[in-house]
């Protein structure tokens, strides 16, 4: 088609007025498609925004775990158990049926952690990464140790209180590496998180890029697959095969969020799902014993699809300010709810309906979590950040 033919199809001639033709009336054509560069710019702009939906999912995962510990574990469904004294499936069968799947909230935490850690440390130095992790993890954790130890001292009979030297070692958050029990059983996830941070710190040290994070996911995934058959305890310790693929899923989702989707990232996420569903089955067989594989995989799959929607911008319109507060409650709620909460249930189980008791205990811990976040975490984080910044400045100038 010639240029003249094209113009004749897109312009309508105007009649002549006073000997001068009016400019042609142009009919608008189809809208121009955004260029690849424009799409990349839009994705990068979206990558800098706060994802409120993730805060909501974090709180939902914490509530799932709390419900599981109070009314869905194999322990609480045994006759004469220390928490309810009789099987919880006899007391509230429907609640037990749903709560038995709440443990999947931990795997959800791991995926979100991979996403959020990659997002929060992009463009940061190793020093900034280290500082951010210390001020985020330790203040609420130290309070939780003191709180849980005090509650177990005042309300004995459900859990055995640790020796003081073991309680003190828990302050380091490295007790699992020394073979010492946790003050609260839920702290086992922190050991998994710390190993992930240590590995990812290597990538942060070299400077985060799309390529480096993809290579890290592939190398870590290969190590996690080889570790169980290697019979090398050190490799299993570092590779963390029980949790690696959940963190890798989170990393691939963040790369989708920051750079846009591609076949390679979908492949990494698919591999993480395949390996993750196997780990779910192993955990059911070896630890949980209360839920089914199909239901667990369904819940995990729905969650991953929700995270895909978040990563690709489908939830960008969700900007409810209360979700920020909800997300801030998650960490202290998770740290404090289990041992102390079950000890409280043991003392109050005959005073009210079991379902109402669980609601009251969870509500109480949410209020306590808000207080911890407001009056412990914030002030302590400011002090720790100031002290660490001063210490690192001295290190830089030590040779002067």
């Amino acid at each position: 088609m010639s240029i003249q033919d094209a113009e004749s199809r897109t312009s309508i001639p105007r009649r002549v007025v006073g000997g001068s033709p009016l400019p042609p009336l142009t009919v608008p054509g189809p809208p121009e498609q955004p260029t690849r560069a424009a799409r990349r710019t839009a994705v990068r702009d979206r990558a800098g925004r706060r994802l409120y939906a993730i805060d909501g999912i974090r709180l939902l995962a914490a509530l799932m775990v709390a419900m599981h510990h109070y009314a869905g574990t194999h322990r609480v469904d045994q006759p004469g158990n220390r928490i309810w004294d009789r099987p919880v499936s006899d007391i509230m069968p429907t609640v037990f049926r749903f709560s038995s799947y709440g443990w999947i909230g931990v795997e959800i935490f791991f995926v979100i952690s991979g996403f959020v850690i990659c997002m929060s440390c992009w463009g940061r130095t190793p020093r900034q990464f280290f500082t951010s992790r210390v001020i985020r993890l330790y203040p609420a954790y130290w309070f939780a140790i003191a709180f849980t130890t005090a509650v177990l001292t005042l309300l004995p009979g459900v859990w055995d209180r640790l020796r003081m030297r073991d309680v003190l070692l828990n302050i380091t958050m490295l007790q699992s590496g020394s073979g010492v029990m946790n003050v609260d059983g839920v702290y086992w996830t922190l050991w998994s998180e710390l190993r992930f941070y240590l590995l990812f710190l290597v990538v942060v040290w070299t400077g985060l890029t799309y390529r480096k994070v993809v290579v890290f996911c592939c190398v870590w995934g290969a190590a996690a697959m080889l570790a169980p058959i290697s019979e090398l305890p050190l490799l299993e310790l570092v590779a963390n095969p029980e949790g690696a693929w959940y963190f890798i899923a989170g990393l691939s989702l963040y790369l989708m969020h920051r750079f846009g989707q591609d076949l390679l990232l979908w492949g990494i996420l698919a591999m993480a799902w395949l390996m993750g569903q196997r780990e779910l089955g192993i955990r059911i067989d070896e630890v949980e014993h209360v839920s089914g594989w199909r239901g667990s995989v369904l819940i995990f799959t729905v969650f991953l699809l929700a995270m895909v929607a978040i990563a690709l911008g489908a939830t960008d319109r969700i900007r409810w300010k209360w979700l920020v507060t909800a997300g801030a409650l998650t960490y202290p709620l998770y740290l404090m709810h289990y041992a102390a909460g079950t000890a409280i249930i043991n003392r109050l189980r005959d005073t009210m309906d079991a379902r109402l008791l669980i609601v009251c205990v969870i509500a109480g811990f949410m209020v306590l979590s808000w207080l911890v976040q407001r009056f412990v975490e914030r002030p302590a984080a400011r002090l720790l950040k100031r002290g660490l910044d001063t210490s690192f400045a001295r290190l830089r100038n030590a040779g002067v």
Side-chain angles (χ1 to χ4, degrees), residues 203-334:
V203 190
V204 175
W205 198 288
T206 65
L208 290 180
T209 65
Y210 170 86
R211 179 182 299 176
K212 289 177 182 178
V213 177
V214 167
V215 171
F216 172 77
C217 290
C218 295
V219 172
W220 191 16
M225 283 190 289
L226 295 173
I229 62 171
S230 68
E231 297 184 357
L232 297 173
L234 181 59
L235 180 59
E236 284 203 61
L237 177 66
V238 174
N240 186 17
E242 298 84 8
W245 287 103
Y246 304 118
F247 293 115
I248 290 172
L251 293 173
S252 65
L253 285 164
Y254 179 70
L255 292 180
M256 285 187 185
H257 175 69
R258 187 176 184 88
F259 298 100
Q261 57 182 311
D262 59 42
L263 184 59
L264 180 58
L265 295 179
W266 279 110
I268 294 173
L269 185 62
M271 180 64 76
W273 180 87
L274 291 169
M275 298 301 293
Q277 61 83 26
R278 178 180 179 275
E279 292 299 330
L280 294 177
I282 292 174
R283 183 167 172 183
I284 291 170
D285 294 341
E286 297 182 356
V287 180
E288 301 300 338
H289 309 297
V290 289
S291 49
W293 173 83
R294 289 183 178 85
S296 302
V297 172
L298 176 61
I299 294 171
F300 182 64
T301 303
V302 169
F303 160 72
L304 278 186
L305 292 176
M307 286 297 295
V308 169
I310 293 172
L312 298 182
T315 62
D316 285 353
R317 293 185 179 181
I318 297 178
R319 297 186 180 183
W320 306 323
K321 299 298 183 182
W322 64 269
L323 287 174
V324 179
T325 303
L329 301 182
T330 301
Y331 184 53
L333 173 62
Y334 176 78

Side-chain angles (χ1 to χ4, degrees), residues 71 76-77 86-94 96:
V76 299
D77 199 42
R86 56 197 178 103
V88 74
S89 59
D90 293 344
I91 303 172
M92 37 186 171
T94 303
F96 171 75

Side-chain angles (χ1 to χ4, degrees), residues 35-271:
T35 64
R36 181 176 297 179
R39 288 196 297 268
R40 287 178 178 173
T41 300
V43 169
R44 289 194 184 99
D45 290 343
R46 190 177 71 234
R49 300 173 186 169
R50 184 180 186 92
L51 300 174
Y52 292 84
I54 286 185
D55 290 315
I57 292 180
R58 287 170 60 197
L59 180 62
L60 176 62
L63 294 175
M64 287 172 60
V65 174
M67 284 297 301
H68 177 65
H69 286 150
Y70 294 160
T73 65
H74 184 259
R75 176 194 299 270
V76 299
D77 199 42
Q78 300 304 303
N81 68 82
R82 293 183 177 183
I83 300 169
W84 295 101
D85 192 46
R86 56 197 178 103
V88 74
S89 59
D90 293 344
I91 303 172
M92 37 186 171
T94 303
V95 174
F96 171 75
R97 190 175 303 115
F98 285 99
S99 299
S100 63
Y101 289 92
W103 57 271
I104 302 173
V106 171
E107 279 67 27
I108 294 174
F109 280 139
F110 287 162
V111 176
I112 292 176
S113 180
F115 188 106
V116 172
I117 292 303
C118 194
M119 176 174 63
S120 62
C121 67
W122 202 279
R124 291 190 175 187
T125 64
R127 175 185 62 80
Q128 292 171 323
F129 175 64
F130 175 82
T131 300
S132 69
R133 291 302 89 204
V134 169
I135 65 177
R136 179 69 183 95
L137 292 181
Y138 277 96
Y141 174 72
W142 288 333
F143 179 88
I145 289 175
F147 172 77
T148 301
T149 301
V151 171
L152 298 187
T153 301
L154 296 173
L155 302 176
V158 178
W159 305 100
D160 296 329
R161 185 169 62 85
L162 299 185
R163 296 175 298 180
M164 184 53 63
R165 63 186 181 186
D166 292 336
V167 173
L168 291 175
L169 185 61
N170 268 249
I171 293 174
T172 67
M173 206 182 284
L174 303 176
Q175 62 274 9
S176 294
S178 301
V180 172
M181 291 183 62
N182 297 301
V183 168
D184 191 317
V186 299
Y187 297 170
W188 72 268
T189 62
L190 300 177
W191 181 236
S192 190
E193 292 270 358
L194 287 176
R195 286 179 284 168
F196 165 51
Y197 297 159
L198 185 61
L199 289 175
F200 201 63
L201 179 61
V202 177
V203 190
V204 175
W205 198 288
T206 65
L208 290 180
T209 65
Y210 170 86
R211 179 182 299 176
K212 289 177 182 178
V213 177
V214 167
V215 171
F216 172 77
C217 290
C218 295
V219 172
W220 191 16
M225 283 190 289
L226 295 173
I229 62 171
S230 68
E231 297 184 357
L232 297 173
L234 181 59
L235 180 59
E236 284 203 61
L237 177 66
V238 174
N240 186 17
E242 298 84 8
W245 287 103
Y246 304 118
F247 293 115
I248 290 172
L251 293 173
S252 65
L253 285 164
Y254 179 70
L255 292 180
M256 285 187 185
H257 175 69
R258 187 176 184 88
F259 298 100
Q261 57 182 311
D262 59 42
L263 184 59
L264 180 58
L265 295 179
W266 279 110
I268 294 173
L269 185 62
M271 180 64 76

